[in-house]
Structure formats: C-alpha cells, structure tokens
Amino acid sequence: MVWKPNVTVAAVVEQDGRFLLVEERTRKGRRFNQPAGHLEPHETLMEAVARETLEETGYRFAPQWLLGVYRWHYLETGTTYLRFAFCGMVTGHEPERPLDRGIVRAAWFAPEEIRASRERHRSPLVLRCLEDYLAGRRYPLDVLTHLG
C-alpha cells in the first residue's frame, strides 16, 4: 500500500483588516474555513487556489505570496493533508455566482472573531494560517516550481 497525502490549497484574503472565510456544511455541522480545496490534475497550485476561492466565495483571487506549507493529520479519519496556503488580493467579485455545494456563505471576519470561533473551525489550519499571516510570513511564489 502506498501512502499519499491529500494536497490542498487555501487562500488567506485580507481586506480592510477583515478576512474572508467560508461557512460550510460538514459531517460535524457548520464549520468555518479559509477558501480551500483540492489540487486538481493539470493545474498549478496558484491556479488551484484562484479557482477554489472563486468557486467557494464568488471572489476573484490573485495569489501574491506563499504563506506556508502545512501538514495536518486528521486522526478521526486517518487522512493527512498537505496544505499550500497563499495570500494575495481580491481582483473582482461575482456576487450572483452560485457557490460550491456545501458552502453556506462567504463572509468577512475580524481576527478576534476568528479566534473566538475556533471551536467551529474546520481544522487547526484555519487559525494557524491566520496567525502566520498576521506575523508577516510571506514567501515569493517563485519558490514553487511546476514542471510539465
């Protein structure tokens, strides 16, 4: 048996001191997450994060920095996630766009609101990515190489 982590991308999007989160339906009820999802075949990590953000929020997102790479093992399911988190800017909004299935809403939250809702986060990655962003972590996108 070959073990493979689930490769995901996430967007940490700040506008006027507030951060874009999605509220989504999960097996454990409604949870908050950054716009995030799985890398699909034949797309770059930057294309994936822009696509996922648009599909889940209706906002167009342009990644400008790699925030970090995070490994999280979800004990309950035995699944390991390898998350590539990006920060960048909103370049447009399509408010009439239908959101992905399972997404209840996309909304903007202050850091204090996000910290106060940690029991409703989809994973510990939500708060860790926020805190890393607020600490000023940023890596140039050219640290990522896509071949083929």
Side-chain angles (χ1 to χ4, degrees):
M1 182 170 121
V2 176
W3 172 83
K4 291 183 182 178
N6 286 280
V7 177
T8 62
V9 294
V12 176
V13 187
E14 179 190 13
Q15 198 165 21
D16 300 321
R18 298 178 74 76
F19 292 84
L20 183 61
L21 295 183
V22 295
E23 185 177 8
E24 54 191 343
R25 289 182 197 89
T26 73
R27 287 176 287 137
K28 293 187 163 205
R30 290 183 177 188
R31 297 286 186 251
F32 290 109
N33 198 5
Q34 279 99 7
H38 293 268
L39 177 68
E40 293 184 358
H42 311 295
E43 70 182 347
T44 68
L45 293 162
M46 284 79 76
E47 290 167 346
V49 74
R51 175 187 52 75
E52 286 289 352
T53 303
L54 181 61
E55 290 175 354
E56 292 191 354
T57 70
Y59 285 94
R60 294 199 172 278
F61 174 71
Q64 296 175 297
W65 301 97
L66 175 67
L67 178 63
V69 180
Y70 304 83
R71 179 194 174 276
W72 176 58
H73 184 73
Y74 187 27
L75 286 174
E76 195 170 302
T77 64
T79 305
T80 299
Y81 295 93
L82 187 62
R83 175 190 263 207
F84 291 80
F86 295 87
C87 49
M89 62 184 215
V90 167
T91 61
H93 187 213
E94 299 177 20
E96 302 306 315
R97 181 184 180 91
L99 303 181
D100 267 359
R101 192 176 59 123
I103 303 294
V104 176
R105 67 183 174 125
W108 297 89
F109 297 88
E112 314 79 61
E113 294 172 303
I114 297 170
R115 289 180 186 116
S117 67
R118 91 175 42 184
E119 73 282 348
R120 290 191 57 212
H121 291 178
R122 180 86 185 248
S123 77
L125 297 170
V126 175
L127 188 57
R128 178 59 189 266
C129 287
L130 172 71
E131 298 297 356
D132 284 353
Y133 177 88
L134 291 172
R137 295 200 182 185
R138 311 280 190 281
Y139 302 95
L141 294 178
D142 64 6
V143 302
L144 301 170
T145 302
H146 295 87
L147 301 175

